[in-house]
Amino acid sequence: QVQLVESGGDLVQAGGSLRLSCAASGSIFALNAMGWYRQAPGKQRELVAVSRSGGSTNYAYSVKGRFTISRDNAKNTVYLQMNSLKPEDTAVYYCNVVTVLGGSYWGQGTQVTVSS
C-alpha cells in the first residue's frame, strides 16, 4: 500500500499563489508518474499536471504558464506551484501516483479556493 499526504490548500485572492505538496510513503518500489488532478463542484475530475519518471511533464491547457509541477524523487514528493490563480481554479486538488508496478494511488484531496 502507498499512502499520500497532501498539504498546501488554502483560501487565496485572485492573482495570488499557492504551493501544494504531496508526500508518498509505504510500500514504494519506485514511482513512475506523479500528478495532480482537480475536481470542482458539479464537474468531473480533470488532470492538472503530471510528471513522469523520464522527466517529461504535461499540463492542462488552462494552467499552462501559471502552474509548475516538480518532484523530489529522494523524498517521494511532488509539488504544484500555482501562480496567477483565478477563481476558476477553485477545486479540490488530488495527488495521484503510479508505481512502476502499475499501482495507482490517490490522496485525500486538499481544497483550493480562489476569491475574486
Side-chain angles (χ1 to χ4, degrees), residues 54-72:
S56 64
T57 58
N58 288 98
Y59 294 90
Y61 179 80
S62 60
V63 307
K64 278 185 178 179
R66 300 187 298 122
F67 291 10
T68 302
I69 190 170
S70 61
R71 61 194 282 176
D72 184 335

Side-chain angles (χ1 to χ4, degrees), residues 38-46 62 87-92 94:
R38 67 186 181 188
Q39 187 166 19
K43 295 188 176 181
Q44 290 189 333
R45 190 173 297 189
E46 63 175 0
S62 60
E88 50 264 43
D89 295 318
T90 295
V92 178
Y94 296 92

Side-chain angles (χ1 to χ4, degrees), residues 8-11 18 20 39 41 89-93 109-114:
D10 206 343
L11 169 64
L18 284 175
L20 305 183
Q39 187 166 19
D89 295 318
T90 295
V92 178
Y93 283 69
T110 185
Q111 177 70 47
V112 171
T113 303
V114 184

